[in-house]
Amino acid sequence: MTNVVLPPATIGIIGGGQLGQMMALSAKSMGYKVGILDPTADSPAGQVSDFQIVANYDDQVALKELSSHSDILTYEFENVDVTALSQQTTDVPQGTKLLEITSNRLTEKAFIRDVAKVPVTQFMAIESLDDFKSAIQRITLPAILKTVSGGYDGHGQWPVESESDIAQLKADFPNVPLILEQRVAFKKELSIMVTRDVGNHVSLWPIAENVHVNHILKTSFAPAKISEVEAEKIRHIATRIADSLNLRGVLGIELFVSEDHIWVNELAPRPHNSGHYTIEGTNISQFEGHIRSIMGLPLPEIVSEKPALMLNLLGNELQQAREDLVNHPEWHFHDYGKSVMKHNRKMGHITVLGEENIKKLYEWSQIHGQRDVSKPEH
């Protein structure tokens, strides 16, 4: 059992992006001190923390320095140097086993299927072109070829849907460890955030319905409009996974739902983009839940009073949103403070509560060039 660590203890966060920023804001509001390790000076998380160590994530000297100034260590993304982290004397409540599982897609899929024993799509390890040729005869197409580690928002992924896709891959085959995953016909993409507290009680946030554009999450609507039978199956899946991991901290679980099947797609061993709505939409946000869990504190029952919609702001959409703030008192506006705006880079998000405000935000997104954002049913 994780020991209780009370404020004003110091939490060291590996990673200085927006997830680290929102973790830090929750921790600071509870009276904790926060330190950040990130290679970008004045990172989003560093801007709201007590100190930042500017260094690469695999810099063992810097990691040891962060550890020496911290009572607890946590992380905001999967691609952490597990060996270096495991050598630290400071407690890492999430542990390194969770990272080992989720930083490798093969290990993750095998865990979901064989340990948690919940549904996952067909998959095969691909180490060579010959493996690929064999796999496409055994896995029902369409499929998607992915790097085993790294890659996000569509990077390191290749569709395998047609003979031309296969021919192109055969002509220029990626020379890295890969996984071939079956693509299933789904009606909704969903996610759920889950954690376990000091008493091993599992806490679940409302299920969110997600819309991706060009492999990047664009909107999350919660609670998802699904049947109670589907919702109960998803809550059961999330609980099984959390218990199988002896989970500490928040875990994001992405799922596909068809007319008669539910599959787990991916796991995220930390708060997740699709759970941002919880900051305003539930009594305890995923970020406060994460801090409570890793610091050994109990969580109350998670409740929400109104439906919520979160809209990601990518690239220069942030500037338009800044200019329109004066017209939208209903917006809960989040600007991550990134110094450089890039196309398809997550720069901030907007959350609104209640059906009327959700309608207004969809209308705004249509007017300002986000015409490929489709409305989930609600």
Side-chain angles (χ1 to χ4, degrees):
M1 181 182 292
T2 303
N3 293 325
V4 177
V5 183
L6 297 174
T10 299
I11 302 171
I13 301 176
I14 303 168
Q18 61 265 25
L19 295 177
Q21 182 187 70
M22 289 178 269
M23 283 184 199
L25 287 168
S26 285
K28 292 292 291 178
S29 73
M30 297 174 70
Y32 291 102
K33 291 182 169 53
V34 178
I36 303 297
L37 173 62
D38 194 273
T40 303
D42 198 33
S43 66
Q47 294 170 25
V48 300
S49 298
D50 295 280
F51 66 90
Q52 178 181 339
I53 298 169
V54 180
N56 290 329
Y57 305 122
D58 59 357
D59 186 325
Q60 296 197 26
V61 173
L63 185 57
K64 186 174 181 179
E65 182 183 357
L66 178 69
S67 178
S68 69
H69 291 292
S70 303
D71 298 287
I72 292 290
L73 290 177
T74 187
Y75 41 81
E76 67 145 17
F77 63 103
E78 295 88 310
N79 298 316
V80 176
D81 188 326
V82 173
T83 301
L85 186 60
S86 64
Q87 293 172 351
Q88 305 309 310
T89 56
T90 301
D91 187 22
V92 184
Q94 294 149 283
T96 56
K97 185 65 176 178
L98 177 62
L99 279 177
E100 291 171 2
I101 291 170
T102 57
S103 63
N104 182 298
R105 290 187 174 93
L106 279 168
T107 306
E108 180 177 279
K109 296 281 186 185
F111 167 83
I112 295 166
R113 181 189 64 192
D114 301 333
V115 180
K117 298 187 184 302
V118 296
V120 67
T121 60
Q122 288 181 295
F123 66 94
M124 287 186 66
I126 307 296
E127 296 183 359
S128 66
L129 179 56
D130 285 342
D131 285 348
F132 176 68
K133 292 175 180 177
S134 173
I136 58 176
Q137 302 301 318
R138 298 173 60 185
I139 288 184
T140 305
L141 299 183
I144 186 165
L145 188 67
K146 299 180 181 179
T147 55
V148 164
S149 60
Y152 63 95
D153 292 346
H155 300 285
Q157 300 184 11
W158 299 267
V160 186
E161 300 177 0
S162 64
E163 289 299 327
S164 63
D165 290 336
I166 294 170
Q168 185 173 347
L169 280 164
K170 287 180 178 178
D172 186 20
F173 197 72
N175 187 27
V176 291
L178 300 162
I179 179 173
L180 186 68
E181 300 176 7
Q182 181 189 18
R183 293 185 69 167
V184 295
F186 58 87
K187 65 177 182 179
K188 293 179 185 287
E189 293 183 77
L190 306 176
S191 60
I192 186 170
M193 308 300 118
V194 59
T195 194
R196 292 162 83 245
D197 66 14
V198 65
N200 294 330
H201 171 73
V202 173
S203 294
L204 298 162
W205 279 265
I207 299 164
E209 181 177 343
N210 305 315
V211 173
H212 289 78
V213 178
N214 298 325
H215 304 285
I216 302 172
L217 180 67
K218 195 58 191 171
T219 62
S220 292
F221 171 78
K225 291 298 183 182
I226 55 177
S227 70
E228 181 54 32
V229 171
E230 290 170 324
E232 185 55 36
K233 285 181 180 178
I234 290 169
R235 290 191 287 264
H236 175 72
I237 286 169
T239 300
R240 281 192 64 88
I241 291 173
D243 285 338
S244 297
L245 289 166
N246 194 26
L247 182 66
R248 286 292 177 268
V250 164
L251 180 78
I253 304 174
E254 296 182 80
L255 309 107
F256 296 135
V257 177
S258 71
E259 295 299 334
D260 53 2
H261 285 86
I262 297 172
W263 301 268
V264 174
N265 179 32
E266 290 184 349
L267 306 179
R270 34 74 181 170
H272 189 264
N273 191 177
S274 65
H276 289 353
Y277 79 89
T278 64
I279 297 173
E280 293 84 21
T282 56
N283 59 322
I284 298 289
S285 76
Q286 64 167 343
F287 299 101
E288 183 177 343
H290 182 80
I291 298 301
R292 283 177 173 269
S293 178
I294 65 171
M295 304 310 280
L297 298 174
L299 275 80
E301 180 185 358
I302 307 297
V303 295
S304 61
E305 294 184 358
K306 294 181 179 180
L309 176 70
M310 187 280 300
L311 173 73
N312 269 332
L313 297 170
L314 307 178
N316 60 11
E317 294 168 1
L318 176 65
Q319 185 57 41
Q320 182 65 58
R322 286 171 173 167
E323 294 171 5
D324 286 349
L325 260 177
V326 67
N327 301 315
H328 293 280
E330 76 277 10
W331 284 2
H332 297 281
F333 179 72
H334 296 259
D335 184 334
Y336 303 149
K338 295 182 178 180
S339 58
V340 179
M341 291 190 186
K342 295 180 181 178
H343 179 65
N344 283 341
R345 187 184 194 194
K346 295 168 185 170
M347 303 300 299
H349 73 266
I350 298 166
T351 299
V352 293
L353 306 178
E355 295 289 353
E356 187 60 34
N357 291 333
I358 287 171
K359 180 181 177 182
K360 289 179 183 178
L361 185 55
Y362 275 122
E363 290 172 351
W364 182 89
S365 73
Q366 296 299 311
I367 292 169
H368 294 290
Q370 300 159 20
R371 299 182 185 279
D372 43 6
V373 177
S374 58
K375 256 185 175 181
E377 296 176 5
H378 65 275

